[in-house]
mmCIF file with all atom_site columns, all heavy atoms in Angstrom:
data_model
loop_
_atom_site.group_PDB
_atom_site.id
_atom_site.type_symbol
_atom_site.label_atom_id
_atom_site.label_alt_id
_atom_site.label_comp_id
_atom_site.label_asym_id
_atom_site.label_entity_id
_atom_site.label_seq_id
_atom_site.pdbx_PDB_ins_code
_atom_site.Cartn_x
_atom_site.Cartn_y
_atom_site.Cartn_z
_atom_site.occupancy
_atom_site.B_iso_or_equiv
_atom_site.pdbx_formal_charge
_atom_site.auth_seq_id
_atom_site.auth_comp_id
_atom_site.auth_asym_id
_atom_site.auth_atom_id
_atom_site.pdbx_PDB_model_num
ATOM 1   N N   . ASP A 1 46 ? -90.168 -118.143 120.919 1.00 0.00 ? 46 ASP A N   1
ATOM 2   C CA  . ASP A 1 46 ? -89.716 -117.914 122.288 1.00 0.00 ? 46 ASP A CA  1
ATOM 3   C C   . ASP A 1 46 ? -88.181 -117.903 122.385 1.00 0.00 ? 46 ASP A C   1
ATOM 4   O O   . ASP A 1 46 ? -87.593 -118.543 123.255 1.00 0.00 ? 46 ASP A O   1
ATOM 5   C CB  . ASP A 1 46 ? -90.301 -118.961 123.240 1.00 0.00 ? 46 ASP A CB  1
ATOM 6   C CG  . ASP A 1 46 ? -90.198 -118.547 124.698 1.00 0.00 ? 46 ASP A CG  1
ATOM 7   O OD1 . ASP A 1 46 ? -90.229 -117.327 124.968 1.00 0.00 ? 46 ASP A OD1 1
ATOM 8   O OD2 . ASP A 1 46 ? -90.061 -119.437 125.568 1.00 0.00 ? 46 ASP A OD2 1
ATOM 9   N N   . LEU A 1 47 ? -87.573 -117.168 121.459 1.00 0.00 ? 47 LEU A N   1
ATOM 10  C CA  . LEU A 1 47 ? -86.104 -117.052 121.415 1.00 0.00 ? 47 LEU A CA  1
ATOM 11  C C   . LEU A 1 47 ? -85.706 -115.618 121.680 1.00 0.00 ? 47 LEU A C   1
ATOM 12  O O   . LEU A 1 47 ? -86.502 -114.699 121.570 1.00 0.00 ? 47 LEU A O   1
ATOM 13  C CB  . LEU A 1 47 ? -85.591 -117.502 120.041 1.00 0.00 ? 47 LEU A CB  1
ATOM 14  C CG  . LEU A 1 47 ? -85.892 -118.939 119.629 1.00 0.00 ? 47 LEU A CG  1
ATOM 15  C CD1 . LEU A 1 47 ? -85.487 -119.164 118.193 1.00 0.00 ? 47 LEU A CD1 1
ATOM 16  C CD2 . LEU A 1 47 ? -85.185 -119.915 120.554 1.00 0.00 ? 47 LEU A CD2 1
ATOM 17  N N   . ASP A 1 48 ? -84.442 -115.439 121.997 1.00 0.00 ? 48 ASP A N   1
ATOM 18  C CA  . ASP A 1 48 ? -83.863 -114.106 122.184 1.00 0.00 ? 48 ASP A CA  1
ATOM 19  C C   . ASP A 1 48 ? -82.774 -113.943 121.128 1.00 0.00 ? 48 ASP A C   1
ATOM 20  O O   . ASP A 1 48 ? -81.694 -114.531 121.252 1.00 0.00 ? 48 ASP A O   1
ATOM 21  C CB  . ASP A 1 48 ? -83.298 -113.966 123.600 1.00 0.00 ? 48 ASP A CB  1
ATOM 22  C CG  . ASP A 1 48 ? -82.717 -112.589 123.849 1.00 0.00 ? 48 ASP A CG  1
ATOM 23  O OD1 . ASP A 1 48 ? -83.136 -111.630 123.175 1.00 0.00 ? 48 ASP A OD1 1
ATOM 24  O OD2 . ASP A 1 48 ? -81.845 -112.478 124.730 1.00 0.00 ? 48 ASP A OD2 1
ATOM 25  N N   . MET A 1 49 ? -83.065 -113.184 120.097 1.00 0.00 ? 49 MET A N   1
ATOM 26  C CA  . MET A 1 49 ? -82.108 -112.960 119.019 1.00 0.00 ? 49 MET A CA  1
ATOM 27  C C   . MET A 1 49 ? -82.090 -111.481 118.672 1.00 0.00 ? 49 MET A C   1
ATOM 28  O O   . MET A 1 49 ? -83.126 -110.814 118.709 1.00 0.00 ? 49 MET A O   1
ATOM 29  C CB  . MET A 1 49 ? -82.467 -113.782 117.783 1.00 0.00 ? 49 MET A CB  1
ATOM 30  C CG  . MET A 1 49 ? -82.432 -115.278 118.008 1.00 0.00 ? 49 MET A CG  1
ATOM 31  S SD  . MET A 1 49 ? -82.947 -116.231 116.561 1.00 0.00 ? 49 MET A SD  1
ATOM 32  C CE  . MET A 1 49 ? -81.419 -116.202 115.613 1.00 0.00 ? 49 MET A CE  1
ATOM 33  N N   . LYS A 1 50 ? -80.922 -110.990 118.346 1.00 0.00 ? 50 LYS A N   1
ATOM 34  C CA  . LYS A 1 50 ? -80.757 -109.584 117.978 1.00 0.00 ? 50 LYS A CA  1
ATOM 35  C C   . LYS A 1 50 ? -80.820 -109.461 116.457 1.00 0.00 ? 50 LYS A C   1
ATOM 36  O O   . LYS A 1 50 ? -80.064 -110.108 115.743 1.00 0.00 ? 50 LYS A O   1
ATOM 37  C CB  . LYS A 1 50 ? -79.416 -109.078 118.508 1.00 0.00 ? 50 LYS A CB  1
ATOM 38  C CG  . LYS A 1 50 ? -79.261 -107.577 118.479 1.00 0.00 ? 50 LYS A CG  1
ATOM 39  C CD  . LYS A 1 50 ? -77.885 -107.173 118.958 1.00 0.00 ? 50 LYS A CD  1
ATOM 40  C CE  . LYS A 1 50 ? -77.955 -106.576 120.332 1.00 0.00 ? 50 LYS A CE  1
ATOM 41  N NZ  . LYS A 1 50 ? -76.665 -105.992 120.732 1.00 0.00 ? 50 LYS A NZ  1
ATOM 42  N N   . ILE A 1 51 ? -81.729 -108.594 115.982 1.00 0.00 ? 51 ILE A N   1
ATOM 43  C CA  . ILE A 1 51 ? -81.914 -108.381 114.553 1.00 0.00 ? 51 ILE A CA  1
ATOM 44  C C   . ILE A 1 51 ? -81.473 -106.962 114.206 1.00 0.00 ? 51 ILE A C   1
ATOM 45  O O   . ILE A 1 51 ? -81.958 -106.002 114.801 1.00 0.00 ? 51 ILE A O   1
ATOM 46  C CB  . ILE A 1 51 ? -83.388 -108.597 114.152 1.00 0.00 ? 51 ILE A CB  1
ATOM 47  C CG1 . ILE A 1 51 ? -83.794 -110.044 114.488 1.00 0.00 ? 51 ILE A CG1 1
ATOM 48  C CG2 . ILE A 1 51 ? -83.596 -108.286 112.674 1.00 0.00 ? 51 ILE A CG2 1
ATOM 49  C CD1 . ILE A 1 51 ? -85.259 -110.315 114.403 1.00 0.00 ? 51 ILE A CD1 1
ATOM 50  N N   . ALA A 1 52 ? -80.579 -106.866 113.258 1.00 0.00 ? 52 ALA A N   1
ATOM 51  C CA  . ALA A 1 52 ? -80.064 -105.559 112.842 1.00 0.00 ? 52 ALA A CA  1
ATOM 52  C C   . ALA A 1 52 ? -80.575 -105.211 111.449 1.00 0.00 ? 52 ALA A C   1
ATOM 53  O O   . ALA A 1 52 ? -80.892 -106.092 110.650 1.00 0.00 ? 52 ALA A O   1
ATOM 54  C CB  . ALA A 1 52 ? -78.529 -105.586 112.834 1.00 0.00 ? 52 ALA A CB  1
ATOM 55  N N   . VAL A 1 53 ? -80.631 -103.927 111.177 1.00 0.00 ? 53 VAL A N   1
ATOM 56  C CA  . VAL A 1 53 ? -80.998 -103.422 109.860 1.00 0.00 ? 53 VAL A CA  1
ATOM 57  C C   . VAL A 1 53 ? -79.932 -102.422 109.444 1.00 0.00 ? 53 VAL A C   1
ATOM 58  O O   . VAL A 1 53 ? -79.587 -101.521 110.198 1.00 0.00 ? 53 VAL A O   1
ATOM 59  C CB  . VAL A 1 53 ? -82.376 -102.721 109.890 1.00 0.00 ? 53 VAL A CB  1
ATOM 60  C CG1 . VAL A 1 53 ? -82.693 -102.085 108.542 1.00 0.00 ? 53 VAL A CG1 1
ATOM 61  C CG2 . VAL A 1 53 ? -83.466 -103.689 110.283 1.00 0.00 ? 53 VAL A CG2 1
ATOM 62  N N   . VAL A 1 54 ? -79.413 -102.607 108.230 1.00 0.00 ? 54 VAL A N   1
ATOM 63  C CA  . VAL A 1 54 ? -78.453 -101.659 107.668 1.00 0.00 ? 54 VAL A CA  1
ATOM 64  C C   . VAL A 1 54 ? -79.205 -100.772 106.680 1.00 0.00 ? 54 VAL A C   1
ATOM 65  O O   . VAL A 1 54 ? -79.837 -101.278 105.750 1.00 0.00 ? 54 VAL A O   1
ATOM 66  C CB  . VAL A 1 54 ? -77.277 -102.374 106.963 1.00 0.00 ? 54 VAL A CB  1
ATOM 67  C CG1 . VAL A 1 54 ? -76.373 -101.381 106.268 1.00 0.00 ? 54 VAL A CG1 1
ATOM 68  C CG2 . VAL A 1 54 ? -76.494 -103.224 107.962 1.00 0.00 ? 54 VAL A CG2 1
ATOM 69  N N   . THR A 1 55 ? -79.162 -99.470  106.891 1.00 0.00 ? 55 THR A N   1
ATOM 70  C CA  . THR A 1 55 ? -79.822 -98.528  106.003 1.00 0.00 ? 55 THR A CA  1
ATOM 71  C C   . THR A 1 55 ? -78.804 -97.489  105.535 1.00 0.00 ? 55 THR A C   1
ATOM 72  O O   . THR A 1 55 ? -77.648 -97.539  105.929 1.00 0.00 ? 55 THR A O   1
ATOM 73  C CB  . THR A 1 55 ? -80.998 -97.819  106.702 1.00 0.00 ? 55 THR A CB  1
ATOM 74  O OG1 . THR A 1 55 ? -80.490 -97.111  107.837 1.00 0.00 ? 55 THR A OG1 1
ATOM 75  C CG2 . THR A 1 55 ? -82.064 -98.805  107.132 1.00 0.00 ? 55 THR A CG2 1
ATOM 76  N N   . GLY A 1 56 ? -79.265 -96.564  104.738 1.00 0.00 ? 56 GLY A N   1
ATOM 77  C CA  . GLY A 1 56 ? -78.397 -95.490  104.272 1.00 0.00 ? 56 GLY A CA  1
ATOM 78  C C   . GLY A 1 56 ? -78.079 -95.591  102.798 1.00 0.00 ? 56 GLY A C   1
ATOM 79  O O   . GLY A 1 56 ? -77.435 -94.724  102.232 1.00 0.00 ? 56 GLY A O   1
ATOM 80  N N   . ASP A 1 57 ? -78.549 -96.665  102.169 1.00 0.00 ? 57 ASP A N   1
ATOM 81  C CA  . ASP A 1 57 ? -78.248 -96.847  100.755 1.00 0.00 ? 57 ASP A CA  1
ATOM 82  C C   . ASP A 1 57 ? -79.251 -96.173  99.827  1.00 0.00 ? 57 ASP A C   1
ATOM 83  O O   . ASP A 1 57 ? -79.033 -96.051  98.639  1.00 0.00 ? 57 ASP A O   1
ATOM 84  C CB  . ASP A 1 57 ? -78.174 -98.336  100.413 1.00 0.00 ? 57 ASP A CB  1
ATOM 85  C CG  . ASP A 1 57 ? -79.506 -99.052  100.552 1.00 0.00 ? 57 ASP A CG  1
ATOM 86  O OD1 . ASP A 1 57 ? -80.301 -98.656  101.427 1.00 0.00 ? 57 ASP A OD1 1
ATOM 87  O OD2 . ASP A 1 57 ? -79.741 -99.991  99.782  1.00 0.00 ? 57 ASP A OD2 1
ATOM 88  N N   . ASP A 1 58 ? -80.360 -95.680  100.378 1.00 0.00 ? 58 ASP A N   1
ATOM 89  C CA  . ASP A 1 58 ? -81.400 -95.037  99.572  1.00 0.00 ? 58 ASP A CA  1
ATOM 90  C C   . ASP A 1 58 ? -81.003 -93.582  99.324  1.00 0.00 ? 58 ASP A C   1
ATOM 91  O O   . ASP A 1 58 ? -80.984 -92.766  100.239 1.00 0.00 ? 58 ASP A O   1
ATOM 92  C CB  . ASP A 1 58 ? -82.739 -95.107  100.303 1.00 0.00 ? 58 ASP A CB  1
ATOM 93  C CG  . ASP A 1 58 ? -83.879 -94.496  99.525  1.00 0.00 ? 58 ASP A CG  1
ATOM 94  O OD1 . ASP A 1 58 ? -83.638 -93.938  98.418  1.00 0.00 ? 58 ASP A OD1 1
ATOM 95  O OD2 . ASP A 1 58 ? -85.015 -94.543  100.013 1.00 0.00 ? 58 ASP A OD2 1
ATOM 96  N N   . ILE A 1 59 ? -80.684 -93.266  98.077  1.00 0.00 ? 59 ILE A N   1
ATOM 97  C CA  . ILE A 1 59 ? -80.267 -91.904  97.737  1.00 0.00 ? 59 ILE A CA  1
ATOM 98  C C   . ILE A 1 59 ? -81.301 -91.192  96.861  1.00 0.00 ? 59 ILE A C   1
ATOM 99  O O   . ILE A 1 59 ? -80.984 -90.232  96.163  1.00 0.00 ? 59 ILE A O   1
ATOM 100 C CB  . ILE A 1 59 ? -78.876 -91.881  97.083  1.00 0.00 ? 59 ILE A CB  1
ATOM 101 C CG1 . ILE A 1 59 ? -78.857 -92.696  95.790  1.00 0.00 ? 59 ILE A CG1 1
ATOM 102 C CG2 . ILE A 1 59 ? -77.810 -92.342  98.067  1.00 0.00 ? 59 ILE A CG2 1
ATOM 103 C CD1 . ILE A 1 59 ? -77.613 -92.442  94.936  1.00 0.00 ? 59 ILE A CD1 1
ATOM 104 N N   . MET A 1 60 ? -82.532 -91.642  96.911  1.00 0.00 ? 60 MET A N   1
ATOM 105 C CA  . MET A 1 60 ? -83.590 -91.054  96.091  1.00 0.00 ? 60 MET A CA  1
ATOM 106 C C   . MET A 1 60 ? -83.737 -89.555  96.348  1.00 0.00 ? 60 MET A C   1
ATOM 107 O O   . MET A 1 60 ? -84.002 -88.793  95.427  1.00 0.00 ? 60 MET A O   1
ATOM 108 C CB  . MET A 1 60 ? -84.902 -91.793  96.361  1.00 0.00 ? 60 MET A CB  1
ATOM 109 C CG  . MET A 1 60 ? -85.979 -91.508  95.382  1.00 0.00 ? 60 MET A CG  1
ATOM 110 S SD  . MET A 1 60 ? -85.522 -92.084  93.746  1.00 0.00 ? 60 MET A SD  1
ATOM 111 C CE  . MET A 1 60 ? -87.040 -91.741  92.890  1.00 0.00 ? 60 MET A CE  1
ATOM 112 N N   . ALA A 1 61 ? -83.537 -89.141  97.580  1.00 0.00 ? 61 ALA A N   1
ATOM 113 C CA  . ALA A 1 61 ? -83.648 -87.712  97.916  1.00 0.00 ? 61 ALA A CA  1
ATOM 114 C C   . ALA A 1 61 ? -82.574 -86.881  97.220  1.00 0.00 ? 61 ALA A C   1
ATOM 115 O O   . ALA A 1 61 ? -82.714 -85.657  97.111  1.00 0.00 ? 61 ALA A O   1
ATOM 116 C CB  . ALA A 1 61 ? -83.574 -87.518  99.428  1.00 0.00 ? 61 ALA A CB  1
ATOM 117 N N   . GLU A 1 62 ? -81.538 -87.519  96.737  1.00 0.00 ? 62 GLU A N   1
ATOM 118 C CA  . GLU A 1 62 ? -80.430 -86.817  96.066  1.00 0.00 ? 62 GLU A CA  1
ATOM 119 C C   . GLU A 1 62 ? -80.603 -86.763  94.555  1.00 0.00 ? 62 GLU A C   1
ATOM 120 O O   . GLU A 1 62 ? -79.740 -86.231  93.854  1.00 0.00 ? 62 GLU A O   1
ATOM 121 C CB  . GLU A 1 62 ? -79.112 -87.507  96.395  1.00 0.00 ? 62 GLU A CB  1
ATOM 122 C CG  . GLU A 1 62 ? -78.829 -87.635  97.876  1.00 0.00 ? 62 GLU A CG  1
ATOM 123 C CD  . GLU A 1 62 ? -78.738 -86.300  98.558  1.00 0.00 ? 62 GLU A CD  1
ATOM 124 O OE1 . GLU A 1 62 ? -78.188 -85.348  97.972  1.00 0.00 ? 62 GLU A OE1 1
ATOM 125 O OE2 . GLU A 1 62 ? -79.256 -86.183  99.685  1.00 0.00 ? 62 GLU A OE2 1
#
Side-chain angles (χ1 to χ4, degrees):
D46 196 30
L47 300 172
D48 182 24
M49 297 177 81
K50 194 183 253 189
I51 299 169
V53 175
V54 174
T55 60
D57 66 327
D58 181 357
I59 60 167
M60 193 64 175
E62 304 299 321

